[in-house]
Amino acid sequence: MNAATKNKTGVLPLTARKAVAPAVGVTRSVMLVTPALAAEWLKSNTRNRQIRHSVVAALAEIIRKGGWHTTHQGIAFGEDGALYDGQHRLHAIVEAGVAVSIEVTRGLPLSAVDAIDTGGSVRAARDVVAITDGVKLSYTQNATYSVVAFLMDASEIGTRRMTVDRLRAAIRDHGAAAEAVWGAGGVKFHTFRALPASVTGSLVVAWHSEPARVREFVKMLRTGENLGAFHPALMLRNYMIDRPSGAGCGMQNALMLRTFAAFDAFVRGDSLKVLKASEGARDKYVAAAKRDTAKAS
């Protein structure tokens, strides 16, 4: 939108909508919200939940990359002047340092707070790529791509939000490798419906440099056949069986690092008496995957 479409206050007209008339005293408009204006509005953020910094960081990244879209979801103020909804969006505008157009609602009654962000389901990146790209991922496939994205971003699981752009990039750059890993072996691991995402995601990354060895390793993990006492695949298999159930992000990261350690030992032909986490092995295969995807782009 250009300057001719805005009035002096920065308000943009809603010309394409015929909505049910809002409650008396409630107004809606689309505004260009600058970082300075967002910071000013956050001063009235007195009726809200605790801020989630990972959400702010993810939104700020979208804004900086030009991926922001104006939708019906925006900023909402109550009739008492307090900010009722949109604190994460406002913080993201401030963090990104970029102005965006956003719908602003004013004059909501206090009772409206009871219905904000309740009773519904958040649309995840997986949902968006299914709707817009026609790519339907199972929860296991989505989790694998999430691990790959974390690895390629040099971040730990749980430290960054999975955005649509990050998921699309993972599918684009690692889709063939992921399909190969999921299909390798042909026999599902008897203790799990499938190998954990921390394992498959790590091996998707390793596939870029050692595709044939990854295929062998996955088959060994899934069947456990003919493995010596200290074989790296058996050591990793036993670690997966013995690890605590319901493990959180810390245990997922630990499993990821041990997957790289076991696979690297397998490639070298080494036995392992103790399976230890290895950041060095992880960094080695991540670097190779980055080189491979850079050549393909």
Side-chain angles (χ1 to χ4, degrees):
M1 297 184 184
N2 55 44
T5 64
K6 299 182 290 185
N7 62 26
K8 292 181 179 178
T9 64
V11 178
L12 306 177
L14 294 176
T15 57
R17 179 182 304 154
K18 284 188 177 181
V20 176
V24 175
V26 176
T27 62
R28 297 189 181 95
S29 60
V30 174
M31 294 183 63
L32 185 68
V33 180
T34 65
L37 183 56
E40 183 64 28
W41 283 354
L42 283 168
K43 294 178 182 179
S44 62
N45 189 27
T46 58
R47 294 182 181 273
N48 229 313
R49 56 184 166 172
Q50 186 174 353
I51 196 76
R52 288 178 291 171
H53 296 287
S54 61
V55 174
V56 173
L59 289 173
E61 182 179 15
I62 290 171
I63 293 171
R64 280 192 294 265
K65 291 182 176 179
W68 177 266
H69 297 282
T70 304
T71 71
H72 65 291
Q73 295 174 307
I75 309 299
F77 293 93
E79 57 190 1
D80 58 358
L83 179 68
Y84 283 6
D85 191 26
Q87 63 169 341
H88 290 91
R89 299 179 184 95
L90 292 176
H91 276 290
I93 293 170
V94 173
E95 184 171 319
V98 178
V100 299
S101 297
I102 193 165
E103 181 165 319
V104 180
T105 300
R106 296 182 183 276
L108 288 178
L110 182 58
S111 59
V113 175
D114 293 349
I116 294 175
D117 291 332
T118 62
S121 177
V122 175
R123 185 173 291 179
R126 170 176 173 266
D127 301 319
V128 176
V129 297
I131 295 168
T132 61
D133 304 353
V135 179
K136 296 183 179 180
L137 303 174
S138 69
Y139 286 107
T140 299
Q141 291 171 321
N142 183 66
T144 294
Y145 281 125
S146 295
V147 170
V148 172
F150 283 118
L151 284 166
M152 298 303 286
D153 288 344
S155 55
E156 292 190 337
I157 295 173
T159 59
R160 296 188 68 186
R161 184 168 173 257
M162 190 61 168
T163 65
V164 176
D165 287 344
R166 294 180 74 213
L167 179 55
R168 282 184 177 137
I171 294 170
R172 179 194 67 226
D173 294 339
H174 308 280
E179 291 294 341
V181 169
W182 292 325
V187 180
K188 289 186 177 180
F189 189 33
H190 77 279
T191 307
F192 302 95
R193 293 181 61 192
L195 295 175
S198 296
V199 174
T200 55
S202 300
L203 293 175
V204 165
V205 170
W207 180 273
H208 287 276
S209 54
E210 296 284 352
R213 305 311 299 275
V214 167
R215 190 189 306 276
E216 294 176 58
F217 195 71
V218 171
K219 185 175 181 179
M220 293 172 179
L221 286 178
R222 284 182 164 168
T223 66
E225 295 175 354
N226 303 317
L227 300 179
F230 301 111
H231 192 285
L234 182 63
M235 297 295 286
L236 179 58
R237 204 170 189 271
N238 290 339
Y239 180 83
M240 286 189 288
I241 293 172
D242 295 339
R243 71 188 180 126
S245 60
C249 294
M251 287 300 297
Q252 292 178 60
N253 284 301
L255 177 56
M256 195 166 59
L257 292 175
R258 282 171 172 79
T259 299
F260 282 112
F263 179 71
D264 195 47
F266 168 67
V267 171
R268 297 194 313 269
D270 293 343
S271 297
L272 289 176
K273 291 188 177 181
V274 178
L275 178 58
K276 296 181 179 180
S278 174
E279 294 183 356
R282 176 200 62 194
D283 295 345
K284 169 185 171 181
Y285 289 104
V286 168
K290 287 182 177 179
R291 289 193 296 269
D292 188 52
T293 55
K295 286 190 297 184
S297 60

